Amino acid sequence: MADEIVCLSGARLAFGERVLWDHLDLKVAAGEFIAILGPNGTGKTSLFKVLLGQLPLSAGTATIAGSPVESGSERIGYVPQHRAVDRGLSLRGQDLVRLGVDGHRWGIAPLNPAERGRRREIVERALAQVHALKLAKVPVGVMSGGELQRVRIAQALASDPVLLLCDEPLLNLDPASARLVAKLIDRRRQSGTAVMFVTHEVNPVVPYVDRVLYLVNGRFRIGTVAEVMTSETLSELYQADIQVVQVGGRYVVVGEHLDHSGHTHGHAHE
């Protein structure tokens, strides 16, 4: 694969007798957008921990841009789940982004004027990419959920990564903010960064997704949205009767055994 960013080969992750996934082969190209779906506890976040060098594979190999995974790699940007922060926190938007520039370094070394200027330019460029320059001096504690996620994306982009890992970045955002955040992440993908995007709801990112990795109880399926989001495929993965219908271009999934992110059993998943 040309410009291969992620390569998982024969990957297995197990904790004792519990196997999250096995024989996972996945190659992600530069500029490709992969959505990762499935119920809670099936290893979606654990997959990210493997790629971030925080969790070793039980078997198989994982490489990033042709090199073994390593902890603290500047080649990877990480956007965490959206969570509210303490309203009294004095950290400003530009301070949060700056952590993406030098947060991997230990200790505090004095910077010369040229280095300070370079860091300032990097922070401003990252904020500009997500249309958030006006948030540079705003305390993160008073930002809206959508504003905070834009700054977190800027932080992830500050090191100019080849891979962007997004762990449910749309969680708890209002629909308008979710659409904006998804669009900003897609814009970065168009510049050549590979994107792996964990989500419990595929609809906000359907326009951008190239392929889906769907994980369920040790089973998985990789393919396009149209290939994976079918009644037949999901019924096979869940080993239960799952119905998938399209309503106005949106996928609605109904089944007795679905438990994505707190949805109740038997309800539609939009």
Side-chain angles (χ1 to χ4, degrees):
M1 182 183 292
D3 297 322
E4 183 179 282
I5 302 301
V6 175
C7 180
L8 290 161
S9 180
R12 171 186 173 94
L13 188 64
F15 298 97
E17 297 294 313
R18 183 164 173 256
V19 179
L20 291 180
W21 26 266
D22 196 4
H23 303 296
L24 176 58
D25 296 319
L26 177 65
K27 294 182 178 180
V28 184
E32 190 172 14
F33 194 124
I34 305 290
I36 304 171
L37 295 102
N40 293 331
T42 55
K44 302 186 298 293
T45 297
S46 294
L47 173 59
F48 280 6
K49 288 182 177 180
V50 167
L51 297 175
L52 289 166
Q54 299 171 355
L55 198 59
L57 285 172
S58 305
T61 59
T63 60
I64 306 293
S67 300
V69 297
E70 59 180 1
S71 181
S73 172
E74 292 185 350
R75 296 176 299 173
I76 302 176
Y78 176 65
V79 182
Q81 294 182 15
H82 168 64
R83 291 187 177 88
V85 298
D86 183 352
R87 293 192 66 81
L89 192 62
S90 60
L91 195 72
R92 300 168 300 173
Q94 64 188 20
D95 303 323
L96 187 61
V97 176
R98 193 174 293 118
L99 292 174
V101 181
D102 55 16
H104 62 285
R105 298 174 188 160
W106 292 99
I108 300 174
L111 297 174
N112 60 47
E115 181 64 17
R116 279 199 300 270
R118 187 188 72 85
R119 285 204 317 173
R120 188 163 52 247
E121 287 178 8
I122 291 172
V123 169
E124 289 178 354
R125 184 165 62 244
L127 284 167
Q129 286 185 67
V130 298
H131 307 301
L133 280 171
K134 65 181 182 181
L135 299 174
K137 299 186 185 305
V138 176
V140 297
V142 302
M143 292 181 187
S144 69
E147 288 173 338
L148 183 56
Q149 279 304 77
R150 283 160 64 188
V151 173
R152 284 177 170 145
I153 295 169
Q155 180 190 31
L157 297 180
S159 66
D160 196 25
V162 298
L163 172 64
L164 194 59
L165 301 178
C166 305
D167 192 359
E168 297 205 36
L170 310 183
L171 202 62
N172 300 322
L173 293 183
D174 63 83
S177 294
R179 284 193 296 271
L180 175 60
V181 167
K183 190 176 295 185
L184 291 171
I185 290 170
D186 178 65
R187 182 175 296 137
R188 177 66 190 203
R189 178 276 292 265
Q190 292 178 20
S191 70
T193 297
V195 172
M196 297 180 70
F197 193 106
V198 168
T199 179
H200 74 278
E201 183 184 349
V202 72
N203 288 306
V205 294
V206 163
Y208 316 122
V209 171
D210 295 301
R211 286 185 296 156
V212 169
L213 167 61
Y214 207 121
L215 299 162
V216 182
N217 300 327
R219 295 176 292 277
F220 61 86
R221 184 65 60 87
I222 302 169
T224 65
V225 175
E227 289 169 345
V228 174
M229 298 299 293
T230 68
S231 300
E232 180 182 15
T233 298
L234 293 194
S235 294
E236 181 183 326
L237 283 173
Y238 281 95
Q239 297 187 346
D241 183 22
I242 306 294
Q243 296 298 317
V244 180
V245 294
Q246 280 191 268
V247 181
R250 296 174 64 83
Y251 288 86
V252 181
V253 183
V254 186
E256 292 295 321
H257 300 278
L258 299 173
D259 61 353
H260 294 201
S261 301
H263 286 280
T264 53
H265 294 293
H267 282 206
H269 295 257
E270 298 183 28

